[in-house]
Amino acid sequence: MSKRRSVFISAISGNVLEYYDFTVYAVFSLAIGKAFFPYSSEFSQILKSLGIFAIGFLTRPIGGIIFGAIADKYGRKISLIISMLGMTISTFIIGLIPGYNIIGYTAPVILVCMRLLQGMCISGEGAGAAIFILEHYENLRPGLTAGIVHASNIAGTLFATLVGISLSHFYPDMVHAWRYAFIFGGMMGLVGFYFRLQVSETPIFLMLAEKKKTLKTPFLEILKTAKQPMFITFCLGACASSVVYLVKTYINIYHCSMLHFDDVTARLYLAYSSIIMMLTMPLSGHISDVIGRFRMVTISAISIFVMALPCFILISSEEVGIQLLALTILAIIGGMIGGCAYLFIISLFSPQQRFSGVAFSYNLGIALCGGTSAMISSCLVEKTNLHYAPAFYIMLTSSIFLLVSYCMRKRIRSLLDANLKK
């Protein structure tokens, strides 16, 4: 196997498995709510389960600081290896936690702790895997490459969804079937861990280390010198993740609780939207190679603002064709912003700063606006009694990014020009 291919497989396979581990919780959120909060109402079970899902995002910025420092100081490879191992262990443990009926409040406490560990570990993935591949590939078709990496995140979600469909089909009456998905994820994580042990460090980091240009305290130094890139990255992380995680998490819950679909049908819709989003991301990345990364990310944010409300109005239609059309458009605009996001934010930072700058800022945006999108959407629908209320949330995050990017457009172009070939 060629070096380039082994690098690609190790990064992508690990990314798929880590995002499977992180998002399989969302696929089984209803069953988890029943297992850990059995005496609450159905809505309360959903809300508490989504709350714990959102808690997993609290440690993402902290993990961004930790894994960013490891990657920028000791190497990209070691950061990705530790991230993979931590995610594997925490996922396996979740599958083995006894329910509330057995150990009481200790059960949700352990669940929260494992979600916090998962959140910390996932912060080293995603854009980190994109940096790893791009630094090995030396910017060969960077937009397409970064788009494929982000698509592998969705592939992990799709994988989790397919496992959910299979378990619902073959074990529809088994209360603890969801545990198999977590145990399986933990076991598969060992495969990704093995692949990552086999690859070499990136040439760019080795060059920085040889010339002693690595940062001693990466996070503190980027706070001093890269506040503007960090703020822009945060805003794009908020915009992109609010849409992507809405598709990945809330749509499944919406189809079950609002449209009263059975588990298998709801997960089939989730699988369909995941496939559309996954296919759109590499295409979006490729287009950014042609028309420019700033232009593509701006077009994507505008598309979200314009199309969000019509999509959510139509998604509850009684006609299957209209439902699928709305879901398709929603998945496409999510794929558009996600497919060009990684390369855009990576290009805002110099090689010495990029892992720490991207890992913290992007994960902070995800933590505040992405991980909470399903919970906020559920609350908006409950309080307003409007099934399309979630559209207002993603319209807000996209409009904030558009405003910031317009006001800072000159600075963004100068950063892109400075880092384009680094």
Side-chain angles (χ1 to χ4, degrees):
M1 184 183 296
S2 68
K3 178 181 177 181
R4 181 169 288 178
R5 185 174 298 176
S6 65
V7 166
F8 184 82
I9 290 175
S10 68
I12 294 297
S13 62
N15 211 32
V16 170
L17 291 171
E18 283 215 40
Y19 272 87
Y20 167 90
D21 290 346
F22 192 71
T23 57
V24 71
Y25 183 103
V27 175
F28 292 98
S29 57
L30 298 178
I32 291 171
K34 292 176 182 178
F36 290 92
F37 307 102
Y39 301 112
S40 301
S41 66
E42 182 178 351
F43 175 73
S44 182
Q45 286 177 352
I46 294 172
L47 203 60
K48 289 176 181 177
S49 181
L50 289 177
I52 293 180
F53 178 77
I55 282 173
F57 289 79
L58 292 178
T59 48
R60 288 189 71 151
I62 299 171
I65 297 173
I66 295 171
F67 286 101
I70 294 171
D72 283 335
K73 191 172 182 179
Y74 301 107
R76 317 320 195 189
K77 176 183 173 180
I78 187 65
S79 175
L80 292 175
I81 287 174
I82 296 172
S83 168
M84 184 85 252
L85 184 60
M87 180 63 76
T88 298
I89 293 171
S90 55
T91 301
F92 192 80
I93 291 175
I94 288 176
L96 299 177
I97 302 172
Y100 180 90
N101 288 333
I102 298 176
I103 59 173
Y105 286 109
T106 305
V109 169
I110 297 174
L111 180 63
V112 167
C113 291
M114 291 303 101
R115 283 296 295 171
L116 290 171
L117 180 57
Q118 281 190 323
M120 185 177 294
C121 292
I122 200 71
S123 63
E125 280 295 328
I131 291 171
F132 186 74
I133 295 177
L134 290 173
E135 289 188 350
H136 269 290
Y137 278 32
E138 298 179 353
N139 286 321
L140 175 65
R141 303 177 73 181
L144 176 62
T145 301
I148 291 173
V149 173
H150 207 157
S152 71
N153 301 358
I154 309 304
T157 301
L158 176 62
F159 188 21
T161 304
L162 295 176
V163 169
I165 292 171
S166 299
L167 289 174
S168 295
H169 178 74
F170 291 107
Y171 305 102
D173 300 319
M174 185 179 289
V175 177
H176 301 298
W178 63 271
R179 296 182 181 275
Y180 296 148
F182 284 87
I183 295 171
F184 174 70
M187 294 172 63
M188 289 299 294
L190 296 175
V191 177
F193 179 70
Y194 171 78
F195 277 129
R196 290 193 168 172
L197 288 174
Q198 308 306 308
V199 295
S200 59
E201 185 54 77
T202 71
I204 289 180
F205 180 80
L206 291 175
M207 181 270 293
L208 292 172
E210 184 180 349
K211 295 183 178 181
K212 297 183 179 180
K213 289 186 177 181
T214 56
L215 303 178
K216 292 183 179 180
T217 53
F219 182 67
L220 294 179
E221 294 189 40
I222 62 169
L223 281 179
K224 294 177 183 177
T225 61
K227 290 186 180 67
Q228 290 180 327
M230 291 176 72
F231 181 62
I232 297 164
T233 300
F234 163 76
C235 291
L236 181 55
C239 173
S241 65
S242 65
V243 185
V244 171
Y245 276 94
L246 200 70
V247 176
K248 288 166 65 172
T249 59
Y250 178 72
I251 293 300
N252 181 53
I253 294 166
Y254 178 80
H255 281 132
C256 285
S257 60
M258 299 295 295
L259 301 184
H260 306 293
F261 288 5
D262 61 81
D263 285 348
V264 173
T265 303
R267 287 170 184 163
L268 284 171
Y269 273 73
L270 176 59
Y272 170 77
S273 60
S274 297
I275 291 171
I276 297 299
M277 193 156 57
M278 184 173 65
L279 294 176
T280 304
M281 285 180 172
L283 178 60
S284 172
H286 172 67
I287 294 172
S288 74
D289 283 334
V290 177
I291 68 173
R293 53 204 74 176
F294 188 22
R295 183 177 298 174
M296 185 61 196
V297 81
T298 302
I299 292 172
S300 300
I302 292 172
S303 299
I304 293 169
F305 185 81
V306 172
M307 298 304 301
L309 187 57
C311 284
F312 271 94
I313 290 174
L314 295 176
I315 209 167
S316 62
S317 170
E318 295 181 357
E319 296 185 25
V320 175
I322 295 178
Q323 286 180 6
L324 288 175
L325 175 62
L327 194 58
T328 301
I329 296 173
L330 190 63
I332 287 174
I333 59 178
M336 285 175 62
I337 192 74
C340 58
Y342 279 176
L343 182 62
F344 178 78
I345 58 176
I346 290 170
S347 303
L348 296 176
F349 297 90
S350 67
Q352 297 96 320
Q353 302 172 327
R354 64 173 50 137
F355 210 113
S356 293
V358 167
F360 173 75
S361 308
Y362 197 71
N363 278 295
L364 182 61
I366 293 174
L368 295 180
C369 300
T372 57
S373 62
M375 186 171 64
I376 290 173
S377 296
S378 296
C379 289
L380 285 174
V381 172
E382 178 73 13
K383 297 297 183 183
T384 65
N385 205 28
L386 300 173
H387 67 271
Y388 52 82
F392 301 131
Y393 178 61
I394 58 177
M395 289 171 70
L396 175 63
T397 59
S398 61
S399 62
I400 291 173
F401 171 71
L402 287 169
L403 179 62
V404 169
S405 62
Y406 177 77
C407 294
M408 301 181 68
R409 61 191 183 281
K410 292 183 179 179
R411 178 59 175 156
I412 290 173
R413 291 193 180 101
S414 68
L415 288 168
L416 294 178
D417 290 341
N419 299 308
L420 195 58
K421 295 182 180 180
K422 292 181 179 181

